[in-house]
Amino acid sequence: MKAVMVSNFGGPETLLWKETEIPQPKPHEVLIKVKAAAINPVDWKVREGMLKDLMQLPFVLGCDVAGIVQEVGSGVDNFKEGDEVFAMLDLTKGGGYAEFVTTEAEFVALKPKRLNFEEAASVPLASLTAWQAMFDEAQLKAKQKVLIHAASGGVGSFAVQIAKAHDLYVAATTSTKNIKLIKSLGADLVIDYSQEDFTTLCQNYDMVLDPLGGEVQSRSLKCLKKGGTLVTIVNLTCQEAAKKVGVTALHTLVRPDGDRLAQIANLIDAGKIKPLIAQILTSSEIQAAHQLSQSGRAQGKIVIKMQLN
Ligand SMILES: NC(=O)c1ccc[n+]([C@@H]2O[C@H](COP(=O)([O-])OP(=O)(O)OC[C@H]3O[C@@H](n4cnc5c(N)ncnc54)[C@H](OP(=O)(O)O)[C@@H]3O)[C@@H](O)[C@H]2O)c1
């Protein structure tokens, strides 16, 4: 099969399709024929060497896939050959930018019926991040208030919709060009970060979801009520400051979870969540896909459609 093998850490030019063996499913694993793979910022961070102590060269990049089950390992009874599925893969194993990938069956869910493979591939990592941050970490309940930064990003665009599907009040930050888009995702209050100060517009919130870090993270503490929670998915730098004002600040790292993904698929099929796709590129445009992700300006998810011969 062909796969994007990382043989040395570096820039997008290191992303090359190479021939490698088709992996074989071990017990409790499935082999998926990949129809589409999504790009996540973690992919280019790993490409640059972020997890170099955990990942042995060469390896195949990619954590989000949608495709068709080709074979199941022993002990797998919830999937069969021919099932249309999607999955977030283990971050430290990757394997998604490839014609075939094996992964634990417990990371896999049936693809939402409403979505094609490209749309489905865009869902797992970003939506699971949003869900786990809001409900596993911050334990939000209906009617509570959440401020979501970078609402036009992969994580933010799912977070806004998942929060609204749970009857939360949502404020969201974005730039002028994306205001209409974020309103269309259902946010109650859309804040133009280039014109407005979110700390004056949002106060006494239960949670802030922070995909940005830096001064956005530290200023966000002002938006929380006592006992509120800031969950960052980037570097946590405001823990001490948070303690001083009586709020919690924590970092979370997304975990693969097929059961939760199945729940998200149900919300998609019920019309409550729709992936926001920035661009669908072909396999040969993998380097451009990373450049777009690395620009930090993508409106939603970037997807690679597998078209290899
Ligand atoms: N810890 C974890 O488990 C985990 C999981 C997923 C992602 N992450 C990390 O979280 C970060 C975000 O991921 P992502 O996939 O959502 O990124 P992304 O899709 O690349 O985010 C791009 C978006 O960010 C917006 N943005 C940039 N600066 C902004 C600002 N100051 N205020 C509001 N919006 C701003 C941009 O909108 P404008 O053009 O309108 O500014 C753009 O649409 C990445 O660093 C990623 O590695 C961590």
Side-chain angles (χ1 to χ4, degrees):
M1 70 166 186
K2 289 204 175 78
V4 177
M5 304 284 294
V6 174
S7 309
N8 53 292
F9 297 108
E13 71 285 353
T14 58
L15 301 175
L16 299 169
W17 289 93
K18 294 182 185 162
E19 279 295 329
T20 184
E21 293 298 307
I22 295 177
Q24 294 304 304
K26 297 192 189 83
H28 308 290
E29 288 187 345
V30 297
L31 173 69
I32 299 170
K33 181 174 169 50
V34 180
K35 304 287 281 181
I39 310 291
N40 288 288
V42 69
D43 300 350
W44 51 260
K45 294 179 187 179
V46 168
R47 190 202 70 217
E48 288 180 337
M50 182 180 79
L51 299 179
K52 64 169 175 261
D53 296 336
L54 294 175
M55 304 191 77
Q56 225 183 340
L57 293 167
F59 60 84
V60 179
L61 268 178
C63 300
D64 268 338
V65 295
I68 300 170
V69 173
Q70 189 83 4
E71 198 182 323
V72 300
S74 61
V76 176
D77 47 23
N78 47 344
F79 297 104
K80 59 179 188 320
E81 190 188 334
D83 281 347
E84 297 189 346
V85 295
F86 66 153
M88 176 193 155
L89 311 172
D90 185 330
L91 285 173
T92 61
K93 286 192 196 150
Y97 301 177
E99 285 181 272
F100 294 92
V101 65
T102 52
T103 189
E104 286 79 348
E106 63 179 339
F107 297 170
V108 178
L110 291 175
K111 177 177 83 61
K113 293 182 188 63
R114 270 175 114 108
L115 302 187
N116 61 31
F117 287 109
E118 291 81 49
E119 292 165 328
S122 76
V123 175
L125 186 144
S127 65
L128 285 170
T129 305
W131 188 298
Q132 290 168 4
M134 292 192 289
F135 302 110
D136 297 341
E137 306 295 347
Q139 312 234 325
L140 287 178
K141 304 274 180 295
K143 310 288 181 209
Q144 288 189 312
K145 294 171 95 170
V146 58
L147 167 61
I148 295 168
H149 289 299
S152 55
V155 175
S157 57
F158 279 111
V160 169
Q161 298 180 77
I162 292 171
K164 287 314 298 173
H166 286 79
D167 201 17
L168 294 159
Y169 178 89
V170 176
T173 63
T174 194
S175 62
T176 315
K177 64 180 187 302
N178 291 325
I179 287 181
K180 233 173 143 179
L181 175 71
I182 304 309
K183 280 192 179 146
S184 77
L185 299 182
D188 299 285
L189 173 65
V190 182
I191 302 165
D192 180 347
Y193 70 79
S194 66
Q195 306 289 326
E196 299 170 299
D197 179 357
F198 64 83
T199 65
T200 59
L201 295 169
C202 301
Q203 262 144 32
N204 283 315
Y205 273 55
D206 298 281
M207 184 202 174
V208 178
L209 175 57
D210 166 40
L212 295 169
E215 59 103 42
V216 170
Q217 183 183 116
S218 49
R219 288 173 58 228
S220 291
L221 297 177
K222 295 185 191 158
C223 302
L224 290 166
K225 68 177 192 192
K226 282 246 176 321
T229 308
L230 178 140
V231 180
T232 186
I233 55 171
V234 292
N235 280 349
L236 175 63
T237 51
C238 70
Q239 216 168 5
E240 288 309 311
K243 258 188 218 157
K244 282 187 193 145
V245 294
V247 303
T248 303
L250 55 91
H251 171 263
T252 190
L253 183 64
V254 61
R255 303 166 296 280
D257 184 340
D259 290 341
R260 189 68 80 209
L261 207 48
Q263 241 177 308
I264 291 169
N266 287 339
L267 286 175
I268 291 171
D269 281 335
K272 296 195 170 171
I273 306 175
K274 206 172 139 205
L276 177 64
I277 309 272
Q279 217 168 327
I280 298 173
L281 296 150
T282 61
S283 318
S284 61
E285 297 172 301
I286 187 77
Q287 297 183 1
H290 268 226
Q291 281 159 347
L292 176 58
S293 174
Q294 228 160 334
S295 75
R297 297 271 85 86
Q299 290 170 306
K301 300 290 305 175
I302 303 156
V303 179
I304 295 291
K305 187 180 167 107
M306 291 297 159
Q307 276 174 330
L308 293 155
N309 42 38

